[in-house]
Structure formats: C-alpha cells, structure tokens
C-alpha cells in the first residue's frame, strides 16, 4: 500500500513539474523539459502523453534545425480549461471564466442589494450557474476570494460581518451542488496570489499585498506559495492596535490599524480636519464637513489640499509602520498596496517608504520596497483563478 502511494505521489509530482516547466517556458522540446526538470527522457515522454491526452498541452511544430532531427515543440493549450473565479468581497458579487493564462473570457456580476445570510448564498449559486452555462471548455474548478475569516483548508467562512455569514461551509455546499474542485482563501490572500502569478511582480518570490478598502488585511506569498497561516489565515494586520484608546473597531477592539487607514477612517479624519480648517478645499467640495465622502478626499487631495494631504500622510505613516513590522518578521520583501487608496499615488508611497526605512533594520529596509499592485480591480478574480492553478495543477511557475 505504502509503496503504491509513493508511486502515485511521484507520478503526480512529475506531472506537475513537467506541466509547470512547459507553462513557464512555452515552446519547449521534450529533451529540454528533461534537462530542466532532471527527469529521464522516457519519464518526460510518458507524462507528455498523459498531458496531451487530457488536452492540457499540444505540439506546435518543430524547433529550428541544429543539424540533426528537428525536435517537436510543446506548449500549454491555454484555452483547454475554463477556470471559474469568484470575488465575494465586494458590494456586488463578481465571477468570471478565465483561461489558463489568466485571460478573462466572460464576466458575470450580480448585485447583492442588501441580501445577506442564505439569500446571499443564493446569489453565489446564481453566479456560478450563469458562469457554467457560458463555459465553452471543460471546467478546472472554482476558485474563491471571500471576505472575513476564512479557513482555506476546511473551506469554511467563519465570519463575514457584512454578509452576516457565520461558519458557512461554502466549499462543501458548492462541491455538493457542482461536483467540481473548489478552493478558497481570504480576499487579501487571493489578491497576493493573483499579483504573484499574473502581475508584473511575478519574479519576486516573496511579496505582501496590503489591501486597504472597507477592511485592511495582508496576503503573504513566500517562496512562491501562499502563506495560509493557521488556523484562520495569516495577515490579519488590520486588527492590531496602533492607537491606544482609539476608535472602536468592528472587531470589538479599539484603535486597530483598520480604524485609521480604511476608507471610513480616512473620511472620519478628513471630516474632523475640515471642521478645524475652514479654508480647506474639503469644505468647498462638500456642503458641510459631515457630507465629506471618500471621493471628496480624493478630489481635494488631487487639488493639493493641505488638510487632505495631512490625512493621507497619517495613513502613510501607519502603513509604513505596519510594513516595517512585516519586514521584521518576513525579511526583505516587496510590499504592495491595493484597494481604493491607490488614488493617493506617489505621495502615499513616499511617506510609507520613509517610515518603513526609518523603523526597520537598515539591511532589511534596503532590500524592501513599498509600491502599488500592478493589477486592476480584477486582482481578486484572477487571484482566485491562480489559487486553482496552484492547487489543481501544482503550478507555481517561479517559486517552489
Ligand atoms: Zn479591529
């Protein structure tokens, strides 16, 4: 029995290794795959037969002649599978059909319109039903970026406040209904995996994405693999106290990083500063300070308003301090900010970078950098697809 299990594991390992190599390098001969993977040529040939039978790879002509017989080149058939990616961390639920290269082929978005609990679950089913109906290739599975406390191993959303979900066994529910492989993780973690896999930072094996929106959290990729943490997910930096006796947070504590950096915190601080500074552009853009919104702050900031800049300076300082802590734990890495705060541009990055450099060990700070993610609002959809690629096909093109 034990011997058989070992043989099976070796076969899976070899298959993933060969597929990853062809995925990463493209147009590559069997001999070259054998050289790169250090597998024997017969082993590579056997695996290639299996992958071609499954339609995952295809032969695409011959290599240029080097005197002898011209080698046949292999390539991943990027449209051989459909990946369903779901982003459940927004006001509307979004899903997409995505190919093996992270190209979005079809989108569906369904508004929640205040639905939560089991009614919100019905919206997830409607979303998946619509995507499956539109799929034109075999489905690899469903990847999900979900809000709140997510147990990625058991596929359970322990708590998502905005959806009024508690201990929702989402993976089991979807598996029973659709009979497909399901993988899920917290939205920040999925965003980090998306950036790592499909973003412009994909050569950085270690990266952290700090997502700042309604909530604040971090996703961590270490050596090309998502760091899940135990048992409820790593990266909950948003609920670490940074202000003694600060504002009450939705988690029940006070003065969490989230309370001073999320969109609501930014608005609250801008409203307070507007009251103290009648000349502020904030007051010209809103009829009264309490009517200031996140968009007002963005606009006033863009016009160079000093009060708005002060708010964002503070946000940058808190994020820079959080980055210094992350660098202290993880070592030098790329720290990428995502979410609505990207509208504050280089000014925010400069403040955060300066604070991180001042607070972290010099040698670590020198090898670390704070930047924005390179991806658009699709980062969670694509991250969910990346989760499937990593989990189902063993794909971690640059890591491992
Ligand atoms: Zn909190």
């Amino acid at each position: 029995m034990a011997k058989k299990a070992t043989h099976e594991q070796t076969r899976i390992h070899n298959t993933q290794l060969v597929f990853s190599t062809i995925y990463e390098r493209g147009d590559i001969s069997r001999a070259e795959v054998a050289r790169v993977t250090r597998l024997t040529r017969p082993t590579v040939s056997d695996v290639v037969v299996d992958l071609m039978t499954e339609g995952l790879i295809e032969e695409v002509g011959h290599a240029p002649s080097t005197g002898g017989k011209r080698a046949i080149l292999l390539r991943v058939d990027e449209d051989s599978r459909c990946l369903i990616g779901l982003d459940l961390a927004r006001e509307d639920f979004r899903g997409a059909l995505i190919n093996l290269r992270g190209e979005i082929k079809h989108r569906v978005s369904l508004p929640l319109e205040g639905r939560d609990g089991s009614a919100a679950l019905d919206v997830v089913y409607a979303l998946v039903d619509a995507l499956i109906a539109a799929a034109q290739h075999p489905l690899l599975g469903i990847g999900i970026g979900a809000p709140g406390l997510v147990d990625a191993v058991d596929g359970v959303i322990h708590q998502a406040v905005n959806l009024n979900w508690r201990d929702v066994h989402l993976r089991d529910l979807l598996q029973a209904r659709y009979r497909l492989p399901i993988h899920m993780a917290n939205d920040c973690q999925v965003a980090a995996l998306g950036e790592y896999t499909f973003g412009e930072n994909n050569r950085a094996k270690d990266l952290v994405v700090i997502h700042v929106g309604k909530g604040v959290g971090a996703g961590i990729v270490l050596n090309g693999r998502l760091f899940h943490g135990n048992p409820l997910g790593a990266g909950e930096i948003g609920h670490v106290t940074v202000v003694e006796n600060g504002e009450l947070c939705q988690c029940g504590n006070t003065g969490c990083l989230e309370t001073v950096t999320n969109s609501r915190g930014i608005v609250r601080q801008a409203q307070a500063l507007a009251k103290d500074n009648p000349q502020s552009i904030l007051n010209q853009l809103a009829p009264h300070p309490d009517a200031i919104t996140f968009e007002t702050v963005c606009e006033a900031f863009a016009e160079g308003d000093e009060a708005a800049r002060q708010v964002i300076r503070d946000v940058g300082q808190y994020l820079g301090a959080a980055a210094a802590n992350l660098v202290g734990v993880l070592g030098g890495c790329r720290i990428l900010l995502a979410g609505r705060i990207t509208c504050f541009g280089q000014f925010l990055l400069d403040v955060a970078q300066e604070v991180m450099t001042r607070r972290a060990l010099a040698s670590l700070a020198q090898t670390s950098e704070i930047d924005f993610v390179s991806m658009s609002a699709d980062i969670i959809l694509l991250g969910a697809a990346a989760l499937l690629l990593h989990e189902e096909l063993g794909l971690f093109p640059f890591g491992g």
Side-chain angles (χ1 to χ4, degrees), residues 353-375:
Q353 179 82 38
E354 191 269 320
V355 172
M356 181 192 71
T357 305
R358 191 151 42 79
R359 286 187 168 229
L361 208 55
S363 57
L364 294 179
Q366 272 164 15
T367 54
S368 301
E369 190 187 358
I370 301 181
D371 203 343
F372 291 123
V373 290
S374 64
M375 297 172 73

Side-chain angles (χ1 to χ4, degrees), residues 220-243:
I220 302 164
V221 170
L222 291 179
N223 201 23
R225 315 234 52 187
L226 186 60
F227 179 62
H228 282 289
N230 196 16
L232 284 180
E236 283 295 334
I237 61 168
H239 299 288
V240 174
T241 304
V242 295
V243 183

Side-chain angles (χ1 to χ4, degrees), residues 238-240 249-253 256 258-259:
H239 299 288
V240 174
C249 181
Q250 61 163 354
C251 74
N253 269 339
C256 294
E258 183 169 303
T259 63

